[in-house]
Amino acid sequence: DDGRDCPRYTAMCFTGVRILPSPFRIRHRLRTVGLRPISNVVDLTNYVMVAIGEPTHAFDRRQIGGDTIRVRRARPGERMRTLDGADHELTAEDLLIADANRGVALAGVMGGENSEILPDTAEMVLEAATFHPGRIRRTAVRHGIRTDSSARGEKSLDPAFCPRAVSMFASMLPSVSPGARPSSRVYDVAVERKPLHVALHPAYVSRRLGIEVPPGRTAGILSSLGFAIAEQPDGAFDVTVPSWRATRDVSIPEDLVEEVGRVIGYDQVPPAGPLVAVTLVPRHPPRALAGRVRRVLSLSCGLDEVRTYSFDSEPLLRKIGLAAGPVRLRNPISADMTTLRTALATGLLGAMERNATRYADFGIFEVGRVFQGEHDADGVPVQPQRVAILLYDRAAKSAEGAEALMRRLRGVLDHLLDRLDRGRPDLSEEGMGPHAGLPWVAAGGSAAVNVAGAAQGYVTRVHPAVMKALDCAGVAVVAEIDLGALLAAPEAARTWAPVPRFPSIQADVSFVADQRLKAGDLDRIVRANAGDLLAGVDLVAVYSGAPIPEGSRSLSFRMTFLAPDRTLSDAEVKAAVDRVVAAARDAGATIRE
């Protein structure tokens, strides 16, 4: 019906056929290549297919209605049972070998049960054909049939092989079925195919391979491979591609260059520098920042990086009491993962739940995108990139243990932002914004992370109710920071200073303050009043309990003073400490004796 579906169909009839076991040599050779012997006729079709690469198929002539073979598309809803006993409902995309009334084979894939060779078959019809390779492949996939015939046909066969296959079968049939003889002429219907011509200049071969290849050698190599060469007046070659290559892998000049190159040997091509200018890949600032964050947290801070799904687990969301995100998937990978995550912390909480039973303490982090309900101009959900950090300690059950874990997390943030040249983070209870409503954020145990005066994220102790819901003993703390906002923050100037020639002096001072006065507030007071000689401040101890009054706590700071041009006197250090103590008293803190 359509020459594009079937470029060539060749058929021949035989009579006097007797169905017998194949001779030993044929059965042995078929088993050697992994094929199961069945009968002499069927085995001979497989033998021809393996020998020359052209599948053939035999029909019982009694079952060919109207003595007619028609290659046509299947009608929608048409049904057919194949040789493997499976029933198939066909579509208009399937190609059929049909008789006058019905389909008798799925073209290029498998024959029909209604026309198979039977033990009493005496007359048969042999076909050898080429079909559209894409149609064979799609039919095989659609119906879940994978055969030796379809594996060859879907790679595009040479139509010239069809009469060769029929001729080989006809010559061998009497040796496997004595008395069998042809009962018809060879029917051969083919679409006229013009030979494929490719223009190739010998100089192009030398330029592409990088070595000098004489024109005579190029012509000799191609001729030995079956290509016909006609030299043009300008020195170019008009190359005629043989039919057994034209349907597969040769169609452009580069294919011919490859043929010449592989015969000469690519090991004969001397190494040479590129002939084109190479430019560096442009630096992508967000990606570079994410890489720096990973290196600092994993190498400097000793944390383990995790990769969690970009989808939220609905059972986990129900455990922690968080509503599903606004971005819902039309085709989720799992029935429990139907929305995209709105926070990285949910994935880290899930990782903590899985690991808390195996490890007493650990620190993990993740760098990735979250997906918000807002959309950009192209209709794509806004996807800010963030970094989230989680520290867990099963033994930290007291308030002091939780506070120590929070101080450790603060140290990680300090080190991270210092290495990123973004200065020291400032923690404040104000500015939590929408983060304050997250179920894992503990009231009184959380703070906004401000960098360069702008809120970049938050840090919090994981709410005890969430820890209980996840069945995790101990304490966990979480921080989440927006990397996009961090990238926009101005970089702090990193200055060089010579190694100090003079010794430093350290002074410790312990303040007793109300629990509501934050350590960060006292840290700012120390830095603002200690003067220019202050080289560093560290919070070294936090204590509550007797003899400290109830509702208060002791915070001990260690101040380091240094002058680049002299040794400091005790009087200079004492004056600086006195200024700090006076400012702390004004803020409501007293000195612990």
Side-chain angles (χ1 to χ4, degrees), residues 158-176:
D158 181 8
F161 283 4
C162 293
R164 289 181 56 189
V166 172
S167 175
M168 183 176 181
F169 183 93
S171 65
M172 294 184 64
L173 181 61
S175 65
V176 300

Side-chain angles (χ1 to χ4, degrees), residues 464-550:
V466 172
M467 297 293 290
K468 183 177 180 181
L470 298 177
D471 196 22
C472 295
V475 173
V477 292
V478 170
E480 190 163 343
I481 299 177
D482 190 331
L483 287 185
L486 202 61
L487 183 64
E491 291 192 25
R494 186 174 290 276
T495 58
W496 174 87
V499 176
R501 296 176 54 199
F502 300 94
S504 61
I505 297 178
Q506 292 182 335
D508 291 355
V509 60
S510 297
F511 299 106
V512 176
D514 190 274
Q515 295 275 8
R516 291 170 294 182
L517 184 60
K518 302 298 182 184
D521 297 332
L522 284 173
D523 181 88
R524 284 188 288 272
I525 290 173
V526 172
R527 293 177 185 274
N529 294 275
D532 296 336
L533 299 176
L534 182 69
V537 180
D538 292 306
L539 177 64
V540 294
V542 178
Y543 173 75
S544 58
I548 306 300
E550 187 175 353

Side-chain angles (χ1 to χ4, degrees), residues 511-512 517 522 525 577-593:
F511 299 106
V512 176
L517 184 60
L522 284 173
I525 290 173
V577 173
D578 289 344
R579 290 195 302 270
V580 169
V581 171
R585 283 200 178 101
D586 294 339
T590 60
I591 300 301
R592 180 182 175 188
E593 300 298 339

